[in-house]
């Protein structure tokens, strides 16, 4: 009974989040269809994810390659149109598996990772959506390229590695106003000619949409708190 209650709750939350995305888009004078909801399913198992897929959600975010490889193959066999986005830090020794398994990577943040991903995409004949993660708060404990290095790094990815970079991603510091970081990332993306902005999570995705987010990464507002 508990499982059924949870499944219904997750579906109800998904509908509410989609309604909130539509309202935020309308308030910003944007088309809601220009915003992709990445449902962050990390730490939740296949039984908890399935009803959300059945309710129509098709893009999911995972933090770890190994966790995704463990739980997603049966779901993908059942729902082959599902797309998986890697939203957690990627180690270079996992590049092969990540390129084979995911449809997008939001966390390209250093030359070693960019080279590894480029090499695997060429070897495997796969083309993934790639985002460069920017450490907008310049936090030493957090992944992401420093803002001052972003222009040169994107140029390296494009010119040296011939990678097509979709956009930029950020995770604002928890104790700072996210709008400042979203505005900065949007300005940087415009300067670099990048259309994609992966920003906004459960607590601030409506603010992110106001600043132009094209991908919002929402976990607890859909699946609840683990």
């Amino acid at each position: 009974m508990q499982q059924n209650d949870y499944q219904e709750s997750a579906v109800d939350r998904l509908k509410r989040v989609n309604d909130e995305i539509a309202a935020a888009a309308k308030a910003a004078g944007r088309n809601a269809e220009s915003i992709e909801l990445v449902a962050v399913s990390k730490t939740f198992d296949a039984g908890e994810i399935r009803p959300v897929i059945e309710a129509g959600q098709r893009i999911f975010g995972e933090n770890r390659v190994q966790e995704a490889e463990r739980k997603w193959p049966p779901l993908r066999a059942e729902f082959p149109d599902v797309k998986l986005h890697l939203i957690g830090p990627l180690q270079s020794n996992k590049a092969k598996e990540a390129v084979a398994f995911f449809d997008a990577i939001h966390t390209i943040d250093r030359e070693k990772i960019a080279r590894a991903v480029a090499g695997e995409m060429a070897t495997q004949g796969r083309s993934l959506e790639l985002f460069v993660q920017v450490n907008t708060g310049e936090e030493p404990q957090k992944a992401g390229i420093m803002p001052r290095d972003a222009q040169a790094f994107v140029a390296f990815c494009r010119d040296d590695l011939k990678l097509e970079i979709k956009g930029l991603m950020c995770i604002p510091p928890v104790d700072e106003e996210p709008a400042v970081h979203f505005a900065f990332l949007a300005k940087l993306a415009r300067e670099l000619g990048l259309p994609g902005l992966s920003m906004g999570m459960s607590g601030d995705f409506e603010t992110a949409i106001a600043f132009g987010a094209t991908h919002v990464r929402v976990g607890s507002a859909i699946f609840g708190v683990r």
Side-chain angles (χ1 to χ4, degrees):
M1 187 67 190
Q2 217 170 15
Q3 181 71 3
N4 287 339
D5 288 344
Y6 175 76
Q7 288 176 357
E8 291 166 4
S9 174
V11 171
D12 289 343
R13 288 181 184 136
L14 173 68
K15 183 181 185 306
R16 184 167 65 249
V17 167
N18 276 316
D19 289 345
E20 289 168 350
I21 288 172
K26 184 176 180 181
R30 300 181 58 197
N31 185 340
E33 292 182 3
S34 69
I35 301 153
E36 292 191 2
L37 169 60
V38 181
V40 180
S41 50
K42 65 176 184 177
T43 75
F44 291 91
D45 63 30
E48 295 166 305
I49 296 166
R50 180 176 284 104
V52 177
I53 304 176
E54 290 172 343
Q57 179 62 25
R58 285 296 178 272
I59 304 173
F60 291 83
E62 290 286 341
N63 262 36
R64 299 177 186 277
V65 175
Q66 284 175 303
E67 181 188 344
E69 287 179 322
R70 175 179 54 77
K71 70 186 182 187
W72 274 100
L75 288 171
R76 283 181 129 176
E78 196 175 344
F79 304 98
D81 57 340
V82 159
K83 303 291 185 186
L84 293 182
H85 290 211
L86 181 63
I87 60 169
L90 175 61
Q91 301 302 317
S92 56
N93 64 351
K94 290 291 180 186
K96 182 178 181 179
E97 292 93 333
V99 168
F101 203 77
F102 287 90
D103 300 286
I105 298 174
H106 291 232
T107 50
I108 305 295
D109 66 348
R110 56 196 187 278
E111 286 192 10
K112 187 176 181 181
I113 293 298
R115 286 188 190 278
V117 168
E120 285 300 334
M121 281 178 24
T123 299
Q124 298 181 34
R126 299 206 73 216
S127 179
L128 279 67
E129 282 191 357
L130 301 177
F131 294 79
V132 167
Q133 181 174 356
V134 181
N135 187 343
T136 57
E138 301 190 15
E139 299 172 277
Q141 80 282 8
K142 191 174 283 182
I145 195 87
M146 289 296 169
R148 62 183 173 274
D149 300 324
Q151 183 173 355
F153 181 64
V154 170
F156 165 75
C157 291
R158 285 169 160 170
D159 301 339
D160 292 40
L161 302 180
K162 308 304 179 190
L163 288 174
E164 185 177 337
I165 301 298
K166 170 89 172 183
L168 303 178
M169 179 270 230
C170 77
I171 304 172
V174 294
D175 57 349
E176 293 186 20
E177 173 53 55
V180 175
H181 295 269
F182 298 154
F184 173 80
L185 198 73
K187 179 175 180 289
L188 183 59
R190 284 194 301 272
E191 291 171 353
L192 297 174
L194 296 172
L197 284 169
S198 172
M199 60 188 195
M201 297 186 286
S202 288
D204 55 23
F205 67 85
E206 291 161 298
T207 302
I209 288 169
F211 284 95
T214 59
H215 296 66
V216 292
R217 311 179 306 274
V218 180
S220 59
I222 296 170
F223 291 101
V225 179
R226 170 58 82 201

